[in-house]
Amino acid sequence: MKINLNKFNRHWEKGYYYPYPKKRDIFEDLITSLEKRQIVEITGLRRLGKTVLMFQLINYLLEKKVGPFHILYFSFDENQFSIEEIINQYSLQTNINYKKEKIYLFLDEIQKLKDFQNQIKVYYDLYPNIKFFISGSTSLFIRKKTQESLAGRTISFMIKPLSFLEYLKFKEKDELLKRPILYQTEIEKEFHNYLQSQFIETIEMNSLEEKKYYLNSIIKKIVFEDLTFLFNLNYPQILYQIVQYIGQNPGVIINNLNLASELKVSNKTISLYLSYLEDSLLIKKLYNFSRNLFASQRKLKKYYLASPSLSLALTDFPDQGKIFENYFISQNDWSYFYRDPAKHEVDFVVVGKNKNIIPIEIKFKKEIKKEDLKNLIIFMKKYKLNKAYVFYYQLNKKIIKIKNKQLILLPYF
């Protein structure tokens, strides 16, 4: 069966470049992987720009005088031909011998191809002239499978929602941050818009309703198509209700039994569905911190959606402080919070490489008073720490000293 490869490879047309001049910050990191042997794996939520990054890498290769026919792009979004079929058709149609000539093979939405990891493994091991790039919408489809069969053969890149600086670059307003005090009003206005616009296509949308519709469609596609298809789910609507619950209550501590009772399903179903949503990258789970990190995993768990934009799409009456927290977790791989039996809570606890502990508080305030830092001080005393960080809704850095404790206040951007 002939595969229409021309359809996927516009760069085979003479002088053609893909029309995507604005780049995500991660693009420079991707460039460094071009000459490495390993498979480049790009994962992330839907609509964060994975396909565009692939096209931009193709543009880069063309600019470096790689022949256009030595670059093959294919998406499995519509058809799931085997990798062998694609490569054989490519060789037949371009008359390029991949066994002897260097080629760059970009495979998009790879999660839709059954047993893709073993198919790639054969070609990776036997044909070193092929440089593979693979992308998928969720870690669930990609990571677990590549970890099983492609261990040591991949370099992984996780695409996150836009940072505030990236958002400003896309709007050509990043110069604002060079003089934040001068442009305070405009920066605050842009930040408000940014919280609704962490997905590239929402930047130019004019109304909040339009953004909400678009972002909700992403959630529904993951829930009712991706996860339902992969696991043959009986209750996808329950999955969606869990997403709504977290989106309307960012940072909520979930008691599985209580939620199971409310949604009239089993505790096992809630636990399973939360794990599916986490692996799909749609939600983020944080553990209640303990020095014994294994014990932490058995304690309270707090949940956020992957982006404040998704949370705002699911509620008409957002808690701005919680949305502010959601912004920070969308940009950082933090895994812990802290809450003791007396309900003293610290928003985030970061454990460094040397197991050093860094407590972080998020305050949607322009003025921070000592009483705002009470829980942070309690935590610092308990764990004998001298330094903590507070991100607040202000544009200048400050340091507050309380006895021998140093609390560093950092601007939100």
Side-chain angles (χ1 to χ4, degrees), residues 220-259:
K220 287 180 177 178
K221 204 161 182 67
I222 294 170
V223 169
F224 293 104
E225 293 185 27
D226 294 347
L227 293 177
T228 299
F229 172 77
L230 183 67
F231 295 109
N232 193 24
L233 298 179
N234 294 321
Y235 309 109
Q237 188 60 39
I238 297 294
L239 206 62
Y240 184 67
Q241 286 178 285
I242 294 172
V243 175
Q244 285 181 306
Y245 179 63
I246 295 171
Q248 291 165 7
N249 303 278
V252 63
I253 292 173
I254 289 183
N255 180 306
N256 287 15
L257 285 172
N258 290 347
L259 189 58

Side-chain angles (χ1 to χ4, degrees), residues 332-352:
N332 296 284
D333 298 321
W334 298 338
S335 300
Y336 301 97
F337 71 104
Y338 175 76
R339 192 183 197 193
D340 67 14
K343 297 187 178 179
H344 298 120
E345 190 166 332
V346 174
D347 293 325
F348 302 111
V349 179
V350 177
V351 180

Side-chain angles (χ1 to χ4, degrees), residues 276-288:
Y276 293 161
L277 290 168
E278 186 185 357
D279 283 334
S280 75
L281 305 178
L282 193 50
I283 68 173
K284 285 194 170 188
K285 176 175 69 179
L286 278 72
Y287 297 101
N288 193 7

Side-chain angles (χ1 to χ4, degrees), residues 296-321:
S296 291
Q297 296 185 20
R298 295 192 296 270
K299 298 170 78 175
L300 299 173
K301 299 175 184 67
K302 186 159 78 166
Y303 292 88
Y304 296 86
L305 293 194
S307 163
S309 301
L310 297 175
S311 296
L312 286 166
L314 294 172
T315 180
D316 293 323
F317 306 101
D319 180 328
Q320 293 298 334

